[in-house]
């Protein structure tokens, strides 16, 4: 099956592309580096020709609600419209566990993305995942400098590889009935403390010579978003499927393979 992957060059996008390929499908990467701009729509219609499903794992790095909302709104409107024109039968989008309970700017953009997807003419499945194991490295990359401030944050992180595989399975399986949006979740095997994860990755990067020594400082963020992150608002519900690779196993593999 030909499946478009919006954001197919990103952290989870690369795993999604390889999971599709491993299962014998034909992934089509939609990214600016592949000649497609999901915000302006440039190159999108031509790239979607013949695609039976579309997976959206595109992303914008930012924390301002207005900026992030504008990005996901534009991407979702363009993808749903052009997927319908191309005759695709299923759109799968990646979201995040707890976005509606944690009033944080980036999450407000993800809520907007889900709202736009609800009016898609093509059936939509949304997978809400926990933070990736890779998130600790992404956080460090976005916070240059000696001191790294991390909110007190309970999370149950999952390997991006397992999220990519779940997205590929969803997209190539049966879509929900027309007019319905199917929601599911995926988290990792263990609850962790985000500052500890970021500290471990910072230490491993410094030990391997791939980064400077960093000091990770955990703070309780005031306000509703901080209370919710510290209080478990990002944790999965009781019956959520769990990935198998724990953060420590993932980190040990990165160190062994030199891929941190
Ligand atoms: N990181 C996490 O822990 C986590 C957890 C749960 C869910 N999620 C969700 O997973 C999704 C992917 O996150 P990620 O961290 O894997 O993303 P990422 O590594 O930042 O990759 C972003 C992707 O989007 C593409 N992109 C950005 N702007 C574009 C544009 N205007 N047109 C076309 N392509 C564009 C990028 O390619 P180009 O730069 O080449 O355009 C890249 O392929 C996001 O929706 C995020 O909310 C993330």
């Amino acid at each position: 099956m030909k499946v478009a992957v919006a954001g197919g060059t990103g952290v989870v996008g690369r795993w999604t592309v390889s999971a599709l390929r491993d299962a014998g499908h034909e992934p089509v990467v939609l990214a600016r580096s592949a000649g497609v701009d999901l915000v302006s729509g440039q190159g999108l219609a031509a790239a979607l020709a013949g695609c039976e499903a579309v997976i959206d794992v595109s992303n914008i790095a930012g924390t301002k609600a207005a900026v992030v909302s504008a990005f996901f709104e534009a991407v979702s409107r363009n993808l749903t419209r052009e997927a319908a024109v191309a005759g695709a039968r299923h759109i799968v989008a990646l979201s995040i566990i707890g976005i509606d309970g944690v009033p944080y700017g980036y999450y407000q953009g993800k809520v907007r993305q889900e709202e736009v997807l609800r009016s898609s003419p093509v059936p939509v499945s949304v997978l809400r995942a926990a933070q990736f194991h890779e998130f600790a490295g992404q956080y460090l990359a976005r916070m240059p400098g000696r001191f790294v401030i991390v909110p007190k944050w309970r999370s149950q992180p999952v390997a991006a590889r397992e999220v990519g595989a779940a997205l590929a399975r969803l997209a190539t399986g049966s879509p929900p009935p027309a007019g319905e949006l199917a929601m599911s979740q995926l988290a990792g095997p263990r609850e962790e403390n985000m500052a500890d994860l970021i500290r471990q990755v910072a230490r491993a990067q410094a030990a391997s010579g791939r980064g400077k020594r960093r000091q990770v400082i955990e703070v309780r963020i005031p306000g509703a978003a901080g209370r919710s992150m510290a209080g478990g608002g990002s944790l999965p519900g009781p019956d959520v499927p769990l990935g198998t690779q724990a953060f420590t196993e993932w980190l040990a593999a990165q160190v062994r393979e030199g891929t941190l």
Side-chain angles (χ1 to χ4, degrees):
M1 186 191 288
K2 202 166 164 185
V3 182
V5 184
T9 57
V11 170
V12 72
R14 286 191 290 262
W15 287 114
T16 309
V17 165
S18 60
L20 286 165
R21 225 171 249 140
D22 291 348
H25 299 291
E26 190 189 336
V28 177
V29 170
L30 313 177
R32 288 166 300 186
S33 46
V36 177
D37 191 317
L38 296 161
V39 173
S40 70
Q42 193 190 344
L44 184 56
L48 285 178
C51 290
E52 290 180 56
V54 178
I55 300 174
D56 183 11
V57 283
S58 64
N59 195 27
I60 181 170
T63 54
K64 288 204 165 63
V67 174
V68 180
S69 296
F71 173 83
F72 281 117
E73 178 162 351
V75 170
S76 303
R77 284 198 194 290
N78 288 336
L79 276 179
T80 51
R81 187 187 61 246
E82 294 304 329
V85 171
R89 57 181 189 89
H90 197 183
I91 295 173
V92 174
L94 183 59
S95 191
I96 308 175
I97 291 174
I99 50 166
D100 30 19
V102 182
Y104 160 59
Y106 178 83
Y107 285 1
Q108 287 162 347
K110 296 297 288 181
V111 169
R112 183 71 196 126
Q113 176 185 26
E114 290 188 4
E115 280 167 6
V116 174
L117 289 170
R118 283 185 192 284
S119 47
S120 167
V122 177
V124 174
S125 298
V126 170
L127 176 68
R128 283 187 174 186
Q131 287 65 49
F132 308 150
H133 294 332
E134 288 82 348
F135 178 80
Q138 291 179 307
Y139 194 98
L140 284 167
R142 286 169 197 159
M143 274 230 173
R146 172 103 167 79
F147 299 101
V148 181
I149 308 297
V150 181
K152 172 129 194 75
W153 190 357
R154 296 172 65 193
S155 171
Q156 197 160 318
V158 60
R161 177 178 52 79
E162 297 190 76
V163 177
L167 292 167
R169 276 195 304 275
L170 266 176
T172 54
S174 304
E180 280 183 31
L181 181 143
M183 290 289 287
S184 57
Q185 296 190 10
L186 179 65
R190 284 214 287 270
E191 181 181 333
E192 308 276 3
N193 177 47
M194 188 55 76
D196 291 342
L197 307 184
I198 293 173
R199 201 170 283 124
Q200 287 177 57
V201 170
R203 283 194 187 131
Q205 285 178 342
S208 69
R210 283 168 181 261
K212 288 182 277 197
R213 282 171 63 89
R214 318 283 293 275
Q215 194 167 341
V216 176
I217 301 160
E218 183 181 70
V219 292
R220 274 186 182 272
I221 303 282
R227 272 197 304 278
S228 181
M229 289 164 113
S234 293
L235 295 176
D239 298 319
V240 167
L242 302 180
T244 58
Q245 189 181 37
F247 180 83
T248 46
E249 294 159 1
W250 171 85
L251 183 57
Q254 306 307 305
V255 170
R256 228 179 12 252
E257 292 156 20
T259 47
L260 255 189

